[in-house]
Amino acid sequence: MSVIDVDSALRWARLDPGKTLARRTDEDLPFLSDAAEAGYELLLDTCVYIDGMQGRSPDAVADLLDIRQVNHSTVAIQELMHTVGVLDPGHPGTRGAIGQIKTTIAAMPEHRIFTPDADILGRGAMLSGILCRIQGYHQDARLKALHDCVLFLQAQKLGLTVLTANVRDFDYLLQLMPTSRVLLYRAVA
């Protein structure tokens, strides 16, 4: 038995809305309100960690993280570690940034870290390919789309809600798979 249902994957790969997806208005999207509420467990997008480290998270995000069960994906850990590798070792802020990332990852309870399985990785790769085709994404955006799609499908499979400030890309994903759960916020400037 195959880990990935190739026949259904091929049917899904033919998804074509016939047009480039347009970003919907904020009123049509699931934004976090000013007051955090109880609800489904969360899976955090990488931007949640980064916004927290840089002091750009709105108070409602901190409140939400206090009242909901928080889960972590190895996709986000991978992106955080990529940041460590990209940082200029000679820059005076690099040591502090690496220290914050190390502290953030170390604080993740092991039993709350989830790794996407082969099914999620395969379907995530295909969904990102569809998104790249429909939206005309180029080089740098393709890898980012792959990570977003894997995280999105991982949350769906686990019954979790993705928390993210990546409004544009997760709006597109919700248009392609509207039954998935995402909670959006805007980072504080």
Side-chain angles (χ1 to χ4, degrees), residues 56-67:
R56 296 184 314 177
S57 290
D59 292 340
V61 167
D63 295 342
L64 187 69
L65 298 178
D66 284 341
I67 63 173

Side-chain angles (χ1 to χ4, degrees), residues 104-126:
T104 298
I105 294 172
M108 296 175 184
E110 224 174 286
H111 69 283
R112 290 285 169 203
I113 298 173
F114 295 95
T115 301
D117 61 21
D119 175 56
I120 294 299
L121 292 172
R123 291 189 311 125
M126 188 172 46

Side-chain angles (χ1 to χ4, degrees), residues 152-166:
F152 180 77
L153 292 173
Q154 183 181 27
Q156 183 184 45
K157 185 171 188 169
L158 296 171
L160 308 174
T161 298
V162 175
L163 178 63
T164 184
N166 183 351

